[in-house]
Amino acid sequence: MEEESDSRKINNSFLRDHNYATEADIISTVEFNSSGELLATGDKGGRVVVFQREQESKSQPNRRGEYNVYSTFQSHEPEFDYLKSLEIEEKINKIKWLPQQNAAYFLLSTNDKTVKLWKISERDKRPEGYNLKDEDGRIRDPSTITSLRVPVLQPMDLMVEATARRVFSNAHTYHINSISVNSDLQTFISTDDLRVNLWNLEITDRSFNIVDIKPSNMEELTEVITSAEFHPRQCHTFAYSSSKGSIRLCDMRQAALCDRHCKYFEEPEDPSTRSFFSEIISSISDVKFSHNGRYLMTRDYLTVKVWDLQMENKPLETYQVHDYLRGKLCSLYENDCIFDKFECVWNGSDSVIMTGSYNNFFRMFDRNTKRDVTLEASRENSKPRAILKPRKVCVGGKRRKDEISVDSLDFSKKILHTTWHPHENIIAVAATNNLYIFQDKVN
Amino acid sequence: MSATSTAMEVNAEARRILAVSISKLYASRTQRGGLRLHRSLLVSLVMRSARDIYHASRESEAPGAPTPQEPMDSSPSSEEQKQLPPQEAEPAQTEPQCALSPAPQTAVEAEECACDSEITEDKENMSPAARQSRKRRSKASAAPDFLPSKRARLEPGEERYAAPLGSCRVGAAETHGDLHQRVPGHSDDSGWVKTTEIDPLTGTRTETERPWKFEGETGSVS
């Protein structure tokens, strides 16, 4: 059972009472940092908003730490590629945190073409007592200075500033779909449709191309890379998923160019379910290693699959997210919903997996008990601090009172991006331009 | 009877999906952020399945009927006016050049052009006389009525661009670094241009490669 804490509307538009979402405010990625203290969201307008968890106060032990806005900054701006006459969208595709090594926080954010390393630091002291300028910053007349003093650091209101420390650009011809920080904390990969590039966090003018699936004749192109991720423990291993529904595990020690995979995970297609859209729905939209590094999870349009790294020919577990959509693929193709890229996420102990669906529903699957639940992220249907009620989609026949029929699902309300706190049962769910944070109920 | 009507439904469904797919490809041209390779690839795969089913059902309906015109997506690249003519579905008549690739590859080509990839033929620099007239004139080649009809290519003797290579058209052609031929051993951005010249008297084709040059500049494009 989950309890809903305050949901924060991060719509900065002056049209506060409107019912539609300003497109720039649509959240495009959410990510907890490795301690769970911070939660970052990126939106279509290129902004990053970072939330910080309140310290739990002794005076209110029942009030769990809530997330408040900590920092907001414009990460990417729209750009124009003059050579190709193309506009480069400022939408933040992915944010990945670096583990904290000092007082400042670091994150990587990327749009279609450029990755940036941002440093978020606090400033709560200010030097006062300069000799050559007064408190307002005006230069003092030297003839009025009669004595020297040493500036002293005085406390000030906390200011959180974000500065771009590195800009990793001009390495991708195609659109970046994912980034992943290596467990060595020195390198990271950025992935576009056809290539994976390896960067050193310190070096911005050079990257190594480690996977290149571009055919010499583009007409022979049959698959693209949809996502890539480093293994959480082994700094030489990474996996990438393809639009054909396969995952390749690569070892960087084998060769400089990792075109030959170590392992190839693919489930043979079931010929009985073949349709016009079989290829589209088998395209993997997200791949995530489990925290313990033994499993891989993939999300395609209708299912989530958990793969054992030791078994390549079929997944360990397959969960149906919204199989009732299988008969509606044609209309979902026409309204473009079939191209939606849903993400999937593990909980901290790798026992529960979660992914989003339509109508602001999201689904959780408990791998041990094999139970699943459908929950809804909406203000109308749940009040703050209320326990979320499980929802059910009625497939056919008689609809019960609380059920919702497939035809009444709102396909414009989709939950593509979710994230789970690394240690606790706190989840963040992005529903268009709203962010919902849910926590476990406290007794 | 029911088998035929089912085949007809399948046929109609395939046609509808084809039409929807083509309109998606057109719409994606004006999308912000440029053509999305993944999406274009998926749409072209759907088009290919629909096309195969469409032809299969037509064959089963009326075996021996003239092969229908394959619906074509005129290459959408706005930078390069690469027009691809409608093509017969008959595999026996596949043209030697990449330009007449069927619909699924068109989307890829469009993305390719927009994404600074190589093409295997330097169409724009071919002299008009060199191009064979690939337009089919038979009745069966009339485009299906659900597709927009447009003249897909220039007739022999017409010239789209009078300007010679390396002149003020640099901006348009250079936008995706297109006019270079991929040669094994060369990198993507080698900046080599392959030109095919046809001697009008003898009809011999000579293919040469040289670095792409801006007017007034030397060296290759990087």
PDB file of all heavy atoms in Angstrom, chain A residues 83-84 87 89-90 112 173-175 195 218-219 276 283 333-334 336, chain B residues 16-17 21 24 32-33 35-36 38 79 98 108-109 115 117 175 188:
ATOM      1  N   LEU A  83      24.578  23.488 -40.651  1.00  0.00           N
ATOM      2  CA  LEU A  83      24.983  22.658 -41.784  1.00  0.00           C
ATOM      3  C   LEU A  83      23.839  21.790 -42.271  1.00  0.00           C
ATOM      4  O   LEU A  83      23.702  21.525 -43.452  1.00  0.00           O
ATOM      5  CB  LEU A  83      26.163  21.762 -41.382  1.00  0.00           C
ATOM      6  CG  LEU A  83      27.501  22.465 -41.225  1.00  0.00           C
ATOM      7  CD1 LEU A  83      28.573  21.449 -40.897  1.00  0.00           C
ATOM      8  CD2 LEU A  83      27.877  23.190 -42.508  1.00  0.00           C
ATOM      9  N   LYS A  84      23.048  21.314 -41.374  1.00  0.00           N
ATOM     10  CA  LYS A  84      21.975  20.410 -41.774  1.00  0.00           C
ATOM     11  C   LYS A  84      20.617  21.097 -41.808  1.00  0.00           C
ATOM     12  O   LYS A  84      19.608  20.464 -42.098  1.00  0.00           O
ATOM     13  CB  LYS A  84      21.911  19.225 -40.807  1.00  0.00           C
ATOM     14  CG  LYS A  84      23.150  18.379 -40.831  1.00  0.00           C
ATOM     15  CD  LYS A  84      23.047  17.273 -39.793  1.00  0.00           C
ATOM     16  CE  LYS A  84      24.412  16.695 -39.533  1.00  0.00           C
ATOM     17  NZ  LYS A  84      24.417  15.814 -38.373  1.00  0.00           N
ATOM     18  N   GLU A  87      16.814  21.967 -36.455  1.00  0.00           N
ATOM     19  CA  GLU A  87      16.761  22.496 -35.114  1.00  0.00           C
ATOM     20  C   GLU A  87      17.064  21.366 -34.144  1.00  0.00           C
ATOM     21  O   GLU A  87      16.619  20.234 -34.333  1.00  0.00           O
ATOM     22  CB  GLU A  87      15.359  23.036 -34.846  1.00  0.00           C
ATOM     23  CG  GLU A  87      15.343  23.990 -33.685  1.00  0.00           C
ATOM     24  CD  GLU A  87      13.963  24.556 -33.434  1.00  0.00           C
ATOM     25  OE1 GLU A  87      13.068  24.305 -34.253  1.00  0.00           O
ATOM     26  OE2 GLU A  87      13.810  25.230 -32.420  1.00  0.00           O
ATOM     27  N   GLU A  89      16.485  20.027 -30.566  1.00  0.00           N
ATOM     28  CA  GLU A  89      15.566  20.247 -29.448  1.00  0.00           C
ATOM     29  C   GLU A  89      16.313  20.359 -28.134  1.00  0.00           C
ATOM     30  O   GLU A  89      17.323  19.687 -27.927  1.00  0.00           O
ATOM     31  CB  GLU A  89      14.621  19.039 -29.349  1.00  0.00           C
ATOM     32  CG  GLU A  89      13.375  19.170 -30.160  1.00  0.00           C
ATOM     33  CD  GLU A  89      12.380  18.096 -29.766  1.00  0.00           C
ATOM     34  OE1 GLU A  89      12.622  16.934 -30.093  1.00  0.00           O
ATOM     35  OE2 GLU A  89      11.389  18.444 -29.113  1.00  0.00           O
ATOM     36  N   GLU A  90      15.769  21.168 -27.242  1.00  0.00           N
ATOM     37  CA  GLU A  90      16.405  21.348 -25.946  1.00  0.00           C
ATOM     38  C   GLU A  90      15.884  20.358 -24.913  1.00  0.00           C
ATOM     39  O   GLU A  90      16.328  20.345 -23.766  1.00  0.00           O
ATOM     40  CB  GLU A  90      16.181  22.788 -25.443  1.00  0.00           C
ATOM     41  CG  GLU A  90      14.733  23.139 -25.099  1.00  0.00           C
ATOM     42  CD  GLU A  90      13.905  23.558 -26.305  1.00  0.00           C
ATOM     43  OE1 GLU A  90      14.236  23.127 -27.428  1.00  0.00           O
ATOM     44  OE2 GLU A  90      12.921  24.295 -26.109  1.00  0.00           O
ATOM     45  N   ASP A 112      19.340  15.898 -27.430  1.00  0.00           N
ATOM     46  CA  ASP A 112      19.579  15.015 -28.564  1.00  0.00           C
ATOM     47  C   ASP A 112      21.034  14.942 -28.994  1.00  0.00           C
ATOM     48  O   ASP A 112      21.443  13.975 -29.642  1.00  0.00           O
ATOM     49  CB  ASP A 112      18.745  15.485 -29.770  1.00  0.00           C
ATOM     50  CG  ASP A 112      17.288  15.108 -29.642  1.00  0.00           C
ATOM     51  OD1 ASP A 112      16.988  14.162 -28.879  1.00  0.00           O
ATOM     52  OD2 ASP A 112      16.454  15.752 -30.290  1.00  0.00           O
ATOM     53  N   THR A 173      25.944  11.984 -34.521  1.00  0.00           N
ATOM     54  CA  THR A 173      25.231  12.357 -35.725  1.00  0.00           C
ATOM     55  C   THR A 173      23.734  12.144 -35.541  1.00  0.00           C
ATOM     56  O   THR A 173      22.922  12.869 -36.083  1.00  0.00           O
ATOM     57  CB  THR A 173      25.699  11.480 -36.900  1.00  0.00           C
ATOM     58  OG1 THR A 173      27.116  11.495 -36.935  1.00  0.00           O
ATOM     59  CG2 THR A 173      25.152  11.980 -38.211  1.00  0.00           C
ATOM     60  N   TYR A 174      23.379  11.144 -34.780  1.00  0.00           N
ATOM     61  CA  TYR A 174      21.981  10.811 -34.576  1.00  0.00           C
ATOM     62  C   TYR A 174      21.555  11.272 -33.182  1.00  0.00           C
ATOM     63  O   TYR A 174      22.339  11.866 -32.456  1.00  0.00           O
ATOM     64  CB  TYR A 174      21.772   9.305 -34.797  1.00  0.00           C
ATOM     65  CG  TYR A 174      22.194   8.884 -36.178  1.00  0.00           C
ATOM     66  CD1 TYR A 174      23.461   8.380 -36.425  1.00  0.00           C
ATOM     67  CD2 TYR A 174      21.340   9.073 -37.273  1.00  0.00           C
ATOM     68  CE1 TYR A 174      23.863   8.057 -37.707  1.00  0.00           C
ATOM     69  CE2 TYR A 174      21.740   8.744 -38.555  1.00  0.00           C
ATOM     70  CZ  TYR A 174      23.007   8.244 -38.754  1.00  0.00           C
ATOM     71  OH  TYR A 174      23.410   7.938 -40.028  1.00  0.00           O
ATOM     72  N   HIS A 175      20.336  10.966 -32.817  1.00  0.00           N
ATOM     73  CA  HIS A 175      19.796  11.515 -31.579  1.00  0.00           C
ATOM     74  C   HIS A 175      20.179  10.666 -30.391  1.00  0.00           C
ATOM     75  O   HIS A 175      19.951   9.459 -30.367  1.00  0.00           O
ATOM     76  CB  HIS A 175      18.271  11.608 -31.673  1.00  0.00           C
ATOM     77  CG  HIS A 175      17.804  12.453 -32.804  1.00  0.00           C
ATOM     78  ND1 HIS A 175      17.936  13.816 -32.813  1.00  0.00           N
ATOM     79  CD2 HIS A 175      17.208  12.138 -33.965  1.00  0.00           C
ATOM     80  CE1 HIS A 175      17.447  14.295 -33.941  1.00  0.00           C
ATOM     81  NE2 HIS A 175      16.995  13.305 -34.660  1.00  0.00           N
ATOM     82  N   ARG A 195      25.270   4.460 -32.671  1.00  0.00           N
ATOM     83  CA  ARG A 195      26.613   4.407 -32.096  1.00  0.00           C
ATOM     84  C   ARG A 195      26.589   4.591 -30.581  1.00  0.00           C
ATOM     85  O   ARG A 195      25.719   5.255 -30.015  1.00  0.00           O
ATOM     86  CB  ARG A 195      27.486   5.497 -32.718  1.00  0.00           C
ATOM     87  CG  ARG A 195      27.672   5.327 -34.210  1.00  0.00           C
ATOM     88  CD  ARG A 195      28.685   6.307 -34.733  1.00  0.00           C
ATOM     89  NE  ARG A 195      28.964   6.077 -36.128  1.00  0.00           N
ATOM     90  CZ  ARG A 195      28.495   6.861 -37.110  1.00  0.00           C
ATOM     91  NH1 ARG A 195      27.745   7.890 -36.833  1.00  0.00           N
ATOM     92  NH2 ARG A 195      28.800   6.584 -38.360  1.00  0.00           N
ATOM     93  N   MET A 218      23.162   2.626 -46.093  1.00  0.00           N
ATOM     94  CA  MET A 218      22.077   2.901 -45.143  1.00  0.00           C
ATOM     95  C   MET A 218      20.786   2.212 -45.516  1.00  0.00           C
ATOM     96  O   MET A 218      19.901   2.048 -44.682  1.00  0.00           O
ATOM     97  CB  MET A 218      21.836   4.407 -45.032  1.00  0.00           C
ATOM     98  CG  MET A 218      22.757   5.110 -44.066  1.00  0.00           C
ATOM     99  SD  MET A 218      22.578   4.547 -42.382  1.00  0.00           S
ATOM    100  CE  MET A 218      21.249   5.575 -41.822  1.00  0.00           C
ATOM    101  N   GLU A 219      20.677   1.811 -46.744  1.00  0.00           N
ATOM    102  CA  GLU A 219      19.445   1.132 -47.123  1.00  0.00           C
ATOM    103  C   GLU A 219      19.338  -0.235 -46.490  1.00  0.00           C
ATOM    104  O   GLU A 219      18.264  -0.827 -46.441  1.00  0.00           O
ATOM    105  CB  GLU A 219      19.387   0.989 -48.637  1.00  0.00           C
ATOM    106  CG  GLU A 219      19.210   2.313 -49.316  1.00  0.00           C
ATOM    107  CD  GLU A 219      19.186   2.143 -50.802  1.00  0.00           C
ATOM    108  OE1 GLU A 219      19.007   1.003 -51.267  1.00  0.00           O
ATOM    109  OE2 GLU A 219      19.355   3.139 -51.491  1.00  0.00           O
ATOM    110  N   PHE A 276       0.940  -6.704 -38.417  1.00  0.00           N
ATOM    111  CA  PHE A 276       1.649  -5.594 -39.065  1.00  0.00           C
ATOM    112  C   PHE A 276       2.647  -4.952 -38.114  1.00  0.00           C
ATOM    113  O   PHE A 276       3.655  -4.418 -38.525  1.00  0.00           O
ATOM    114  CB  PHE A 276       0.661  -4.480 -39.437  1.00  0.00           C
ATOM    115  CG  PHE A 276      -0.146  -4.761 -40.657  1.00  0.00           C
ATOM    116  CD1 PHE A 276      -1.527  -4.747 -40.593  1.00  0.00           C
ATOM    117  CD2 PHE A 276       0.450  -5.030 -41.867  1.00  0.00           C
ATOM    118  CE1 PHE A 276      -2.285  -4.991 -41.716  1.00  0.00           C
ATOM    119  CE2 PHE A 276      -0.304  -5.276 -42.985  1.00  0.00           C
ATOM    120  CZ  PHE A 276      -1.672  -5.256 -42.915  1.00  0.00           C
ATOM    121  N   SER A 283      10.184  -3.639 -30.252  1.00  0.00           N
ATOM    122  CA  SER A 283      11.303  -2.717 -30.059  1.00  0.00           C
ATOM    123  C   SER A 283      11.440  -2.400 -28.573  1.00  0.00           C
ATOM    124  O   SER A 283      10.474  -2.035 -27.916  1.00  0.00           O
ATOM    125  CB  SER A 283      11.033  -1.436 -30.854  1.00  0.00           C
ATOM    126  OG  SER A 283      12.013  -0.474 -30.585  1.00  0.00           O
ATOM    127  N   TYR A 333      -1.324   2.865 -33.548  1.00  0.00           N
ATOM    128  CA  TYR A 333      -0.373   3.280 -34.579  1.00  0.00           C
ATOM    129  C   TYR A 333      -0.814   4.600 -35.181  1.00  0.00           C
ATOM    130  O   TYR A 333      -0.018   5.501 -35.417  1.00  0.00           O
ATOM    131  CB  TYR A 333      -0.265   2.193 -35.642  1.00  0.00           C
ATOM    132  CG  TYR A 333       0.658   2.521 -36.788  1.00  0.00           C
ATOM    133  CD1 TYR A 333       2.030   2.575 -36.611  1.00  0.00           C
ATOM    134  CD2 TYR A 333       0.155   2.766 -38.064  1.00  0.00           C
ATOM    135  CE1 TYR A 333       2.883   2.869 -37.664  1.00  0.00           C
ATOM    136  CE2 TYR A 333       1.000   3.059 -39.116  1.00  0.00           C
ATOM    137  CZ  TYR A 333       2.358   3.105 -38.914  1.00  0.00           C
ATOM    138  OH  TYR A 333       3.200   3.399 -39.960  1.00  0.00           O
ATOM    139  N   GLU A 334      -2.107   4.724 -35.427  1.00  0.00           N
ATOM    140  CA  GLU A 334      -2.592   5.952 -36.057  1.00  0.00           C
ATOM    141  C   GLU A 334      -2.440   7.164 -35.160  1.00  0.00           C
ATOM    142  O   GLU A 334      -2.126   8.248 -35.631  1.00  0.00           O
ATOM    143  CB  GLU A 334      -4.065   5.782 -36.449  1.00  0.00           C
ATOM    144  CG  GLU A 334      -4.221   4.889 -37.661  1.00  0.00           C
ATOM    145  CD  GLU A 334      -5.679   4.619 -37.955  1.00  0.00           C
ATOM    146  OE1 GLU A 334      -6.498   5.523 -37.718  1.00  0.00           O
ATOM    147  OE2 GLU A 334      -5.986   3.507 -38.413  1.00  0.00           O
ATOM    148  N   ASP A 336      -0.174   7.494 -32.945  1.00  0.00           N
ATOM    149  CA  ASP A 336       1.257   7.567 -32.599  1.00  0.00           C
ATOM    150  C   ASP A 336       1.594   7.029 -31.233  1.00  0.00           C
ATOM    151  O   ASP A 336       2.741   7.102 -30.812  1.00  0.00           O
ATOM    152  CB  ASP A 336       1.782   9.013 -32.682  1.00  0.00           C
ATOM    153  CG  ASP A 336       2.099   9.396 -34.101  1.00  0.00           C
ATOM    154  OD1 ASP A 336       2.098   8.493 -34.965  1.00  0.00           O
ATOM    155  OD2 ASP A 336       2.338  10.589 -34.358  1.00  0.00           O
TER     156      ASP A 336
ATOM    157  N   ARG B  16      -4.982   1.137 -46.055  1.00  0.00           N
ATOM    158  CA  ARG B  16      -5.160   2.216 -45.085  1.00  0.00           C
ATOM    159  C   ARG B  16      -3.878   2.421 -44.292  1.00  0.00           C
ATOM    160  O   ARG B  16      -3.442   3.543 -44.047  1.00  0.00           O
ATOM    161  CB  ARG B  16      -6.319   1.866 -44.149  1.00  0.00           C
ATOM    162  CG  ARG B  16      -6.847   3.018 -43.345  1.00  0.00           C
ATOM    163  CD  ARG B  16      -8.191   2.661 -42.765  1.00  0.00           C
ATOM    164  NE  ARG B  16      -8.098   1.643 -41.745  1.00  0.00           N
ATOM    165  CZ  ARG B  16      -7.742   1.880 -40.490  1.00  0.00           C
ATOM    166  NH1 ARG B  16      -7.468   3.101 -40.117  1.00  0.00           N
ATOM    167  NH2 ARG B  16      -7.675   0.905 -39.620  1.00  0.00           N
ATOM    168  N   ILE B  17      -3.286   1.313 -43.885  1.00  0.00           N
ATOM    169  CA  ILE B  17      -2.052   1.430 -43.114  1.00  0.00           C
ATOM    170  C   ILE B  17      -0.946   2.053 -43.955  1.00  0.00           C
ATOM    171  O   ILE B  17      -0.156   2.862 -43.466  1.00  0.00           O
ATOM    172  CB  ILE B  17      -1.634   0.043 -42.582  1.00  0.00           C
ATOM    173  CG1 ILE B  17      -2.613  -0.390 -41.493  1.00  0.00           C
ATOM    174  CG2 ILE B  17      -0.222   0.060 -42.041  1.00  0.00           C
ATOM    175  CD1 ILE B  17      -2.334  -1.748 -40.937  1.00  0.00           C
ATOM    176  N   SER B  21       0.894   5.440 -42.974  1.00  0.00           N
ATOM    177  CA  SER B  21       2.353   5.434 -42.817  1.00  0.00           C
ATOM    178  C   SER B  21       2.998   6.511 -43.658  1.00  0.00           C
ATOM    179  O   SER B  21       3.923   7.192 -43.209  1.00  0.00           O
ATOM    180  CB  SER B  21       2.928   4.073 -43.219  1.00  0.00           C
ATOM    181  OG  SER B  21       2.318   3.049 -42.505  1.00  0.00           O
ATOM    182  N   LYS B  24       2.562   9.772 -42.127  1.00  0.00           N
ATOM    183  CA  LYS B  24       3.469   9.935 -40.979  1.00  0.00           C
ATOM    184  C   LYS B  24       4.866  10.317 -41.438  1.00  0.00           C
ATOM    185  O   LYS B  24       5.530  11.159 -40.831  1.00  0.00           O
ATOM    186  CB  LYS B  24       3.561   8.635 -40.184  1.00  0.00           C
ATOM    187  CG  LYS B  24       2.391   8.382 -39.292  1.00  0.00           C
ATOM    188  CD  LYS B  24       2.709   7.264 -38.320  1.00  0.00           C
ATOM    189  CE  LYS B  24       1.448   6.757 -37.699  1.00  0.00           C
ATOM    190  NZ  LYS B  24       0.723   7.817 -36.992  1.00  0.00           N
ATOM    191  N   ARG B  32      10.101  19.111 -35.287  1.00  0.00           N
ATOM    192  CA  ARG B  32      11.219  19.784 -34.638  1.00  0.00           C
ATOM    193  C   ARG B  32      12.267  18.767 -34.242  1.00  0.00           C
ATOM    194  O   ARG B  32      11.945  17.691 -33.770  1.00  0.00           O
ATOM    195  CB  ARG B  32      10.720  20.445 -33.353  1.00  0.00           C
ATOM    196  CG  ARG B  32      10.894  21.922 -33.333  1.00  0.00           C
ATOM    197  CD  ARG B  32      10.559  22.460 -31.968  1.00  0.00           C
ATOM    198  NE  ARG B  32      11.708  23.152 -31.428  1.00  0.00           N
ATOM    199  CZ  ARG B  32      12.014  23.203 -30.154  1.00  0.00           C
ATOM    200  NH1 ARG B  32      11.292  22.580 -29.278  1.00  0.00           N
ATOM    201  NH2 ARG B  32      13.067  23.872 -29.754  1.00  0.00           N
ATOM    202  N   GLY B  33      13.493  19.102 -34.431  1.00  0.00           N
ATOM    203  CA  GLY B  33      14.547  18.185 -34.025  1.00  0.00           C
ATOM    204  C   GLY B  33      14.998  17.275 -35.145  1.00  0.00           C
ATOM    205  O   GLY B  33      15.925  16.490 -34.968  1.00  0.00           O
ATOM    206  N   LEU B  35      14.479  14.509 -38.517  1.00  0.00           N
ATOM    207  CA  LEU B  35      13.923  13.177 -38.692  1.00  0.00           C
ATOM    208  C   LEU B  35      14.466  12.245 -37.610  1.00  0.00           C
ATOM    209  O   LEU B  35      15.644  12.253 -37.295  1.00  0.00           O
ATOM    210  CB  LEU B  35      14.319  12.627 -40.064  1.00  0.00           C
ATOM    211  CG  LEU B  35      13.491  13.130 -41.227  1.00  0.00           C
ATOM    212  CD1 LEU B  35      14.135  12.729 -42.519  1.00  0.00           C
ATOM    213  CD2 LEU B  35      12.090  12.561 -41.147  1.00  0.00           C
ATOM    214  N   ARG B  36      13.587  11.447 -37.089  1.00  0.00           N
ATOM    215  CA  ARG B  36      13.994  10.483 -36.073  1.00  0.00           C
ATOM    216  C   ARG B  36      14.257   9.160 -36.774  1.00  0.00           C
ATOM    217  O   ARG B  36      13.346   8.590 -37.370  1.00  0.00           O
ATOM    218  CB  ARG B  36      12.873  10.296 -35.066  1.00  0.00           C
ATOM    219  CG  ARG B  36      12.455  11.585 -34.400  1.00  0.00           C
ATOM    220  CD  ARG B  36      13.158  11.771 -33.086  1.00  0.00           C
ATOM    221  NE  ARG B  36      13.277  13.164 -32.727  1.00  0.00           N
ATOM    222  CZ  ARG B  36      14.009  13.607 -31.722  1.00  0.00           C
ATOM    223  NH1 ARG B  36      14.687  12.769 -31.004  1.00  0.00           N
ATOM    224  NH2 ARG B  36      14.051  14.889 -31.450  1.00  0.00           N
ATOM    225  N   HIS B  38      14.904   6.121 -35.657  1.00  0.00           N
ATOM    226  CA  HIS B  38      14.222   4.955 -35.118  1.00  0.00           C
ATOM    227  C   HIS B  38      12.774   4.931 -35.570  1.00  0.00           C
ATOM    228  O   HIS B  38      12.257   3.927 -36.052  1.00  0.00           O
ATOM    229  CB  HIS B  38      14.310   4.987 -33.590  1.00  0.00           C
ATOM    230  CG  HIS B  38      13.730   3.798 -32.914  1.00  0.00           C
ATOM    231  ND1 HIS B  38      13.358   3.791 -31.589  1.00  0.00           N
ATOM    232  CD2 HIS B  38      13.437   2.558 -33.364  1.00  0.00           C
ATOM    233  CE1 HIS B  38      12.874   2.605 -31.268  1.00  0.00           C
ATOM    234  NE2 HIS B  38      12.922   1.840 -32.322  1.00  0.00           N
ATOM    235  N   GLU B  79      16.388  19.205 -47.765  1.00  0.00           N
ATOM    236  CA  GLU B  79      17.669  19.777 -48.152  1.00  0.00           C
ATOM    237  C   GLU B  79      18.046  19.317 -49.540  1.00  0.00           C
ATOM    238  O   GLU B  79      18.435  20.082 -50.378  1.00  0.00           O
ATOM    239  CB  GLU B  79      18.754  19.354 -47.180  1.00  0.00           C
ATOM    240  CG  GLU B  79      18.522  19.844 -45.763  1.00  0.00           C
ATOM    241  CD  GLU B  79      17.705  18.855 -44.979  1.00  0.00           C
ATOM    242  OE1 GLU B  79      17.507  17.758 -45.486  1.00  0.00           O
ATOM    243  OE2 GLU B  79      17.262  19.201 -43.903  1.00  0.00           O
ATOM    244  N   CYS B  98      20.472   2.914 -56.476  1.00  0.00           N
ATOM    245  CA  CYS B  98      19.781   2.969 -55.191  1.00  0.00           C
ATOM    246  C   CYS B  98      18.591   3.884 -55.239  1.00  0.00           C
ATOM    247  O   CYS B  98      17.728   3.854 -54.405  1.00  0.00           O
ATOM    248  CB  CYS B  98      20.737   3.448 -54.117  1.00  0.00           C
ATOM    249  SG  CYS B  98      21.113   5.190 -54.270  1.00  0.00           S
ATOM    250  N   VAL B 108      14.522   5.475 -44.788  1.00  0.00           N
ATOM    251  CA  VAL B 108      15.889   5.393 -44.301  1.00  0.00           C
ATOM    252  C   VAL B 108      16.758   6.355 -45.067  1.00  0.00           C
ATOM    253  O   VAL B 108      17.591   7.036 -44.521  1.00  0.00           O
ATOM    254  CB  VAL B 108      16.414   3.959 -44.445  1.00  0.00           C
ATOM    255  CG1 VAL B 108      17.874   3.908 -44.079  1.00  0.00           C
ATOM    256  CG2 VAL B 108      15.601   3.023 -43.579  1.00  0.00           C
ATOM    257  N   GLU B 109      16.508   6.419 -46.368  1.00  0.00           N
ATOM    258  CA  GLU B 109      17.313   7.330 -47.179  1.00  0.00           C
ATOM    259  C   GLU B 109      17.062   8.762 -46.785  1.00  0.00           C
ATOM    260  O   GLU B 109      17.954   9.579 -46.725  1.00  0.00           O
ATOM    261  CB  GLU B 109      16.954   7.153 -48.659  1.00  0.00           C
ATOM    262  CG  GLU B 109      17.666   5.996 -49.283  1.00  0.00           C
ATOM    263  CD  GLU B 109      17.777   6.160 -50.777  1.00  0.00           C
ATOM    264  OE1 GLU B 109      17.151   7.080 -51.321  1.00  0.00           O
ATOM    265  OE2 GLU B 109      18.483   5.372 -51.372  1.00  0.00           O
ATOM    266  N   CYS B 115      20.830  13.151 -42.116  1.00  0.00           N
ATOM    267  CA  CYS B 115      21.747  12.859 -41.026  1.00  0.00           C
ATOM    268  C   CYS B 115      23.169  12.693 -41.499  1.00  0.00           C
ATOM    269  O   CYS B 115      23.922  11.929 -40.912  1.00  0.00           O
ATOM    270  CB  CYS B 115      21.311  11.609 -40.273  1.00  0.00           C
ATOM    271  SG  CYS B 115      19.906  11.938 -39.202  1.00  0.00           S
ATOM    272  N   SER B 117      24.765  11.271 -43.953  1.00  0.00           N
ATOM    273  CA  SER B 117      25.259   9.949 -44.313  1.00  0.00           C
ATOM    274  C   SER B 117      25.674   9.942 -45.764  1.00  0.00           C
ATOM    275  O   SER B 117      25.554  10.930 -46.461  1.00  0.00           O
ATOM    276  CB  SER B 117      24.163   8.913 -44.101  1.00  0.00           C
ATOM    277  OG  SER B 117      23.660   9.038 -42.806  1.00  0.00           O
ATOM    278  N   THR B 175      24.395  20.690 -46.617  1.00  0.00           N
ATOM    279  CA  THR B 175      23.645  20.567 -45.377  1.00  0.00           C
ATOM    280  C   THR B 175      23.727  19.180 -44.778  1.00  0.00           C
ATOM    281  O   THR B 175      23.624  18.999 -43.589  1.00  0.00           O
ATOM    282  CB  THR B 175      22.150  20.872 -45.598  1.00  0.00           C
ATOM    283  OG1 THR B 175      21.701  20.106 -46.710  1.00  0.00           O
ATOM    284  CG2 THR B 175      21.951  22.338 -45.861  1.00  0.00           C
ATOM    285  N   ASP B 188      33.625   8.604 -42.585  1.00  0.00           N
ATOM    286  CA  ASP B 188      32.368   9.210 -43.021  1.00  0.00           C
ATOM    287  C   ASP B 188      32.597  10.593 -43.581  1.00  0.00           C
ATOM    288  O   ASP B 188      31.939  11.022 -44.500  1.00  0.00           O
ATOM    289  CB  ASP B 188      31.444   9.400 -41.817  1.00  0.00           C
ATOM    290  CG  ASP B 188      30.894   8.062 -41.386  1.00  0.00           C
ATOM    291  OD1 ASP B 188      31.157   7.093 -42.094  1.00  0.00           O
ATOM    292  OD2 ASP B 188      30.241   8.011 -40.358  1.00  0.00           O
TER     293      ASP B 188
END
